[in-house]
Amino acid sequence: MAVNLRIASLTVTTAEAEQTYRFDRPATVITGPIGTGKSSLLMLFKHALGGSAMLTPAVRENVLSVQAEVVAGDNRMVLRRAIEGDAADAVDLLDPHSLALERTLPLRAGDGLTTLSDHLLNALGFPREQIATRREGSARPQNLTFNDLYAYVYLQAREIDRQVVGHLDSWFETKRRELFRLMFGLTDSALMELKRTKNQLLDKLKARTAEHDNVSAFLAASDPRSDDELRAELKQMRDTLGRAEAGLSSLRTELEEQTAADTALRLELQNAIRSARQAEEEVAAAADLVEARHAVVAQVHLDLSRLDRSATAIDQLSPFEFVVCPRCMQSLAARSVEDGHCLVCLQPDLVEADIDPAAIEETRTTLQQQLEDAQRIQQADEAHLQAAQERSQQLSFVVSSLRRQLDAQTRDAVAPRFDAITEASSRVAALKATIDAITQLRVSWARVRTIESDIRAIKAERTRVNKAIKEKSEQLKASQTLVGDLSTEFGQLLAGTCPGSTPLSSTATPIYP
C-alpha cells in the first residue's frame, strides 16, 4: 500500500527571529518572481532531511538552523539540523509534542550506527536494499539510501529542464532505475537478490573461465599429450617400474647371498691381519731388545779395553819421568808441580800400596764373565728376533694370499652385481622421476576438469537464476499499469486543488513500496 511522505511545516531560525511555514493542504504550489527565495525554501527542505543542499550565501550567513515537521504515513517526526559547523553532520530527532531532544542521528554510516537515512526508510516502510552493480569489471553492491529516494521527491528547476531524476548521470543510472522499480512495485527484494546473485555468478564464471584458459595454455605449452595419453603412458611406466624394482630386488638378494658366502673368508683375513700385526709388534720389540744387548756388550768391551790400558800404563810408564807432554810434546820442565803429584795430570802420585795387581785381575775376570753372559743373551735375543721376523713374513704372505683370493672372488662375483645394481637403481630413479612429472601433469588436467565442472555448475545456476528472474518479473508485470494510473490521479489532484495554476513543485509525493 502507498505511504505518503510530506512536510507539514518548516521552521527557519536566524539570530534575530524564527519563522515557521506550514503546509497543511494536500498540495502546495509555491510561486513568485525570481529571487524571492522559492528555491532556497525547497533547499532547506532537503537540508533538513539530511541531503546535500545547495544553500545560497545569504542562507549560510543568516540562518542558524532549520527544523522540519515530517509526516510519513502514521508517523510524525521533527528533524532539526544546523546550517554550518560540525553539528551540520548530524540531525537531531525531537519529540513532536514537547520538541525535547530524543537522539541525534548521524548522516554517514558507521559500525552499529543507525543513520538518518535508516530512520527515514524504516518510517516509510521502504526496504533497505543493496543493488547489483558492476564497476571496473567486478560486482560491487551499492546501498539504496533515502537521499537516492529523495531524488524522486524533489528536483531543482534546472534539473527539470535538463533531465528526469538523473537519467543523464551514468553513475546514478543503475540506482535510478532500481529505485523507480522498487517504489512502484516493479521489483521487490527477492528479484533484486536474484539480480545480485546473477552478477556474482557472472564474476565467478569469468574468473573460472580465465583460470581454465590459463591452465589449458600452460598444459599446451608444457606438454602436447592429452590426459588420456598421459594416463596410458603412466600405466605403462608403472608396469615398467614394477619390473625394474623386482630386478633390483633380485640383484640385491644375490649380492647378499654372495656376501654371506664371503663372510668366512673375510673373517679368516681379519684374523690373519690381526696375527700379522701382532707379529710385526713382536719383531719390533725383539729388535729393540737386541739393540740393547749390543749396547751392553759394547760397554763391557769398552770397560775391558780401559782396564787393559790402565794396567799397561802403570806397568810401562810409571818408571819414566816425562819432560814433555805426551800429547802435545811441549816441555814440562818449567812447570810448577807440588811434590807427590803427577807432572802431567797434576793428580797425587800413586804409592805402591795403592796398586794391587790381584784386584786388577779380579776386575778383568768379572768383566770377562759379564761379556760372555751378555754375548750369550744377545745370541738368544737375535735368534728370537730372527724367528719373529720369519713368522711375520709368513703371516704377511698369508694376508696377501687371502686378499688376492678375496679380491678375485669379489671381482668375479660381487663387482658385476654392484654395477648391475647401480644401473638398475638409476633406471628406477629415472622411472620414478618420469612418473612424478606425468602425475603432476595429470593433476593439472584434473584441475581443468574440476574447473570445467564448476563452469557447468555456474552456467546451470545462472540459467536457473535467469529463469527465476524472468518468472518473478512476469509476476510483477501487473504493477506496470500503476505508473499511468498515478500520473492521471496526480494530474487530477493538482487540477482540483489549484485550477488554472502551473505547479512548480510539490511536497506531496506518493511512495509505493
Side-chain angles (χ1 to χ4, degrees):
M1 98 185 175
V3 176
N4 289 324
L5 172 68
R6 60 189 306 271
I7 297 178
S9 68
L10 185 72
T11 300
V12 180
T13 301
T14 66
E16 292 79 15
E18 186 175 272
Q19 179 67 43
T20 299
Y21 302 91
R22 301 204 61 83
F23 310 97
D24 296 324
R25 293 179 177 276
T28 300
V29 178
I30 302 173
T31 62
I34 296 175
T36 56
K38 301 185 299 299
S39 296
S40 294
L41 185 63
L42 295 175
M43 282 294 178
L44 288 173
F45 288 159
K46 184 176 182 180
H47 185 76
L49 294 173
S52 179
M54 297 179 62
L55 302 177
T56 64
V59 171
R60 293 187 179 279
E61 291 173 2
N62 296 286
V63 178
L64 299 179
S65 65
V66 61
Q67 178 177 301
E69 183 181 358
V70 181
V71 179
D74 296 332
N75 295 323
R76 182 178 293 271
M77 65 189 78
V78 177
L79 305 174
R80 182 177 63 198
R81 184 182 180 187
I83 298 298
E84 295 286 350
D86 295 338
D89 293 334
V91 174
D92 293 333
L93 180 64
L94 308 180
D95 181 85
H97 304 289
S98 65
L99 299 183
L101 177 64
E102 292 185 348
R103 56 176 169 157
T104 299
L105 300 172
L107 300 182
R108 295 180 180 83
D111 294 339
L113 297 179
T114 299
T115 63
L116 176 63
S117 173
D118 297 332
H119 184 77
L120 292 173
L121 290 177
N122 290 337
L124 291 170
F126 200 85
R128 293 159 60 183
E129 290 290 347
Q130 287 185 329
I131 61 171
T133 61
R134 301 187 63 80
R135 299 190 66 184
E136 299 177 358
S138 62
R140 294 185 180 181
Q142 290 184 339
N143 294 323
L144 292 179
T145 66
F146 179 79
N147 287 332
D148 299 325
L149 179 64
Y150 194 73
Y152 287 91
V153 177
Y154 169 63
L155 286 177
Q156 297 183 60
R158 65 179 184 179
E159 292 296 323
I160 294 175
D161 295 338
R162 190 173 70 89
Q163 61 175 338
V164 178
V165 195
H167 78 280
L168 296 180
D169 188 345
S170 59
W171 183 84
F172 185 64
E173 177 65 13
T174 305
K175 279 189 171 184
R176 185 186 74 84
R177 291 179 180 274
E178 293 301 324
L179 275 167
F180 186 85
R181 294 188 182 99
L182 196 60
M183 284 190 300
F184 294 101
L186 303 179
T187 187
D188 59 11
S189 297
L191 182 56
M192 295 178 72
E193 177 63 26
L194 287 172
K195 288 182 177 181
R196 288 195 295 270
T197 303
K198 177 182 176 181
N199 261 5
Q200 293 170 357
L201 289 173
L202 180 59
D203 278 350
K204 289 182 179 179
L205 182 59
K206 286 184 176 180
R208 297 302 274 171
T209 301
E211 186 178 3
H212 179 273
D213 293 342
N214 291 335
V215 177
S216 299
F218 165 76
L219 287 172
S222 59
D223 197 301
R225 291 171 292 181
S226 66
D227 188 37
D228 292 336
E229 293 173 336
L230 290 172
R231 185 188 302 109
E233 185 171 350
L234 182 60
K235 183 179 183 306
Q236 180 182 357
M237 285 290 178
R238 284 174 174 167
D239 292 341
T240 305
L241 176 63
R243 292 192 295 271
E245 288 179 336
L248 178 60
S249 177
S250 176
L251 287 171
R252 285 174 173 168
T253 301
E254 292 178 3
L255 180 62
E256 289 174 358
E257 292 175 354
Q258 184 62 44
T259 303
D262 296 339
T263 301
L265 185 59
R266 291 181 185 276
L267 181 60
E268 185 178 357
L269 175 60
Q270 290 175 358
N271 292 333
I273 291 173
R274 189 181 304 107
S275 298
R277 187 177 298 112
Q278 292 174 353
E280 290 175 356
E281 293 174 355
E282 185 178 355
V283 167
D288 292 340
L289 186 59
V290 168
E291 184 67 24
R293 300 305 183 194
H294 279 294
V296 170
V297 170
Q299 182 62 44
V300 174
H301 274 296
L302 183 62
D303 290 343
L304 282 171
S305 177
R306 185 182 299 111
L307 181 62
D308 290 339
R309 287 197 303 272
S310 297
T312 300
I314 293 172
D315 292 339
Q316 296 182 5
L317 299 179
S318 58
F320 298 96
E321 291 291 337
F322 285 91
V323 294
V324 293
C325 177
R327 179 177 178 275
C328 63
M329 302 304 294
Q330 295 185 65
S331 175
L332 300 176
R335 192 175 191 189
S336 176
V337 179
E338 294 181 9
D339 292 338
H341 287 74
C342 177
L343 189 64
V344 178
C345 66
L346 302 182
Q347 295 185 74
D349 289 332
L350 293 175
V351 295
E352 291 294 335
D354 294 332
I355 301 173
D356 186 359
I360 293 175
E361 186 62 27
E362 184 180 355
T363 302
R364 178 181 292 108
T365 301
T366 301
L367 289 175
Q368 190 66 39
Q369 185 61 43
Q370 289 179 355
L371 177 61
E372 292 175 358
D373 293 340
Q375 287 176 340
R376 186 173 57 257
I377 294 173
Q378 177 182 342
Q379 291 174 358
D381 290 341
E382 288 175 348
H384 176 71
L385 173 61
Q386 184 176 359
Q389 288 174 339
E390 292 175 356
R391 183 168 179 272
S392 177
Q393 291 174 356
Q394 292 174 356
L395 289 173
S396 297
F397 177 76
V398 171
V399 169
S400 298
S401 299
L402 290 174
R403 278 178 174 167
R404 284 194 300 271
Q405 183 180 351
L406 182 60
D407 289 343
Q409 187 169 319
T410 303
R411 181 177 62 253
D412 297 337
V414 177
R417 288 181 174 82
F418 269 124
D419 295 339
I421 287 174
T422 301
E423 182 179 353
S425 298
S426 299
R427 178 168 175 74
V428 167
L431 287 171
K432 287 183 177 180
T434 303
I435 288 173
D436 289 343
I438 295 176
T439 302
Q440 289 300 318
L441 288 173
R442 293 211 64 211
V443 168
S444 297
W445 276 110
R447 183 181 173 189
V448 169
R449 291 193 297 273
T450 301
I451 295 173
E452 289 174 347
S453 176
D454 291 346
I455 290 175
R456 288 193 296 271
I458 292 172
K459 287 182 177 179
E461 179 67 11
R462 188 177 63 170
T463 300
R464 185 193 67 78
V465 170
N466 286 336
K467 181 179 179 182
I469 290 174
K470 184 176 180 180
E471 292 175 353
K472 191 66 177 177
S473 300
E474 290 292 332
Q475 295 174 7
L476 296 172
K477 271 188 176 180
S479 301
Q480 292 181 357
T481 59
L482 185 60
V483 178
D485 296 341
L486 284 175
S487 298
T488 301
E489 182 179 347
F490 189 65
Q492 293 174 353
L493 175 64
L494 292 181
T497 304
C498 304
S501 299
T502 301
L504 300 179
S505 182
S506 174
T507 58
T509 301
I511 306 297
Y512 290 82

